[in-house]
Amino acid sequence: FPSHDMSVTFGTDVSDPASDAPYVVSIWTSENNDARDAQFICSGTLIVPKIVLTAAHCTTETTPYFVKVKSPALNSNVDFVTVSGVWTNPRYNPKTFVNDIGLLKLDESFEGMPFPSLANSESARSINKFSRLRIYGWGLDQDFNQPDLLKTADLLLQDSNAAKVFGKTFNIKTMLAAGKKIVSEGVWSGGCSGDSGGPLIANINGIDVCNIVTGK
């Protein structure tokens, strides 16, 4: 279930990503198949030891992919993990962001990590205006700067607002919208460019359930 929001902006730093959110990865690609000149493009979620869940629009590059896992900062010297397989949902629609889901298969296996549960139809129905939602991402901040540290923010469900803005292209059965308005400043906290593919975590009955951050 992709989560759609307009604008992590106005978030806080994750001081120790390797411990606090070890499943949040950064995704890179290189035109020269050389990690030394790889460019960051998206966030992702490690869901099993060798598979990264991300957005479909993050998996359409024809150049080789690399991933950083358990990195303390975006530009830290953590070794890149090479990617041996890329899957893009064949029903992905880039105009409406329907089925915006993709997978990367890593050449290295990360055993014993605390992977989040994946959203399904039952868990999605449990999310409501009282649900605790938290976004993680390596993307741009509210000033359109690229921060080096992983960002996070607590958000609220915004389905009704998204339905008003996007009309029929926002499918409440398969999508959810999240954001949080900072009333005193008249701005919104949410995802931004580069956060795509990262997790939007909903705590349901004490279990962290992962939805995918996409863009719209």
Side-chain angles (χ1 to χ4, degrees):
F1 289 85
S3 60
H4 291 255
D5 53 65
M6 283 296 291
S7 63
V8 173
T9 59
F10 298 98
T12 58
D13 294 339
V14 179
S15 58
D16 187 4
S19 296
D20 297 338
Y23 47 81
V24 184
V25 307
S26 58
I27 300 172
W28 307 62
T29 188
S30 166
E31 293 183 355
N32 302 314
N33 193 20
D34 188 341
R36 289 175 297 182
D37 63 8
Q39 300 294 313
F40 166 72
I41 58 168
C42 282
S43 301
T45 308
L46 193 65
I47 56 172
V48 293
K50 297 185 72 169
I51 301 296
V52 169
L53 176 68
T54 188
H57 69 266
C58 298
T59 62
T60 58
E61 301 289 340
T62 58
T63 49
Y65 284 90
F66 301 89
V67 171
K68 283 187 179 181
V69 180
K70 300 179 72 172
S71 179
L74 188 66
N75 294 303
S76 72
N77 291 326
V78 169
D79 290 338
F80 281 105
V81 180
T82 53
V83 172
S84 60
V86 181
W87 177 82
T88 304
N89 191 316
R91 298 177 64 190
Y92 165 57
N93 186 326
K95 294 182 179 179
T96 63
F97 287 92
V98 172
N99 299 309
D100 194 3
I101 299 171
L103 299 171
L104 302 179
K105 183 179 180 182
L106 306 183
D107 285 325
E108 184 177 343
S109 183
F110 293 85
E111 306 288 343
M113 287 181 53
F115 306 112
S117 299
L118 294 181
N120 55 35
S121 57
E122 182 178 353
S123 63
R125 285 194 297 268
S126 300
I127 298 175
N128 55 52
K129 64 181 181 179
F130 302 108
S131 298
R132 296 171 54 194
L133 305 175
R134 176 172 283 264
I135 188 175
Y136 291 93
W138 296 98
L140 302 182
D141 63 17
Q142 62 275 8
D143 298 316
F144 295 98
N145 294 322
Q146 180 66 72
D148 196 36
L149 299 180
L150 181 66
K151 297 285 186 177
T152 186
D154 292 321
L155 307 180
L156 300 173
L157 192 67
Q158 300 291 339
D159 280 359
S160 59
N161 286 333
K164 292 177 183 177
V165 174
F166 300 115
K168 293 182 179 179
T169 62
F170 181 80
N171 187 340
I172 197 169
K173 294 181 179 180
T174 59
M175 300 176 179
L176 64 87
K180 187 176 182 180
K181 189 171 185 178
I182 304 174
V183 178
S184 61
E185 299 182 49
V187 295
W188 286 81
S189 178
C192 198
S193 178
D195 293 323
S196 291
L200 176 70
I201 302 295
N203 189 275
I204 301 174
N205 299 322
I207 299 174
D208 285 342
V209 176
C210 176
N211 303 269
I212 309 169
V213 174
T214 67
K216 190 165 175 60

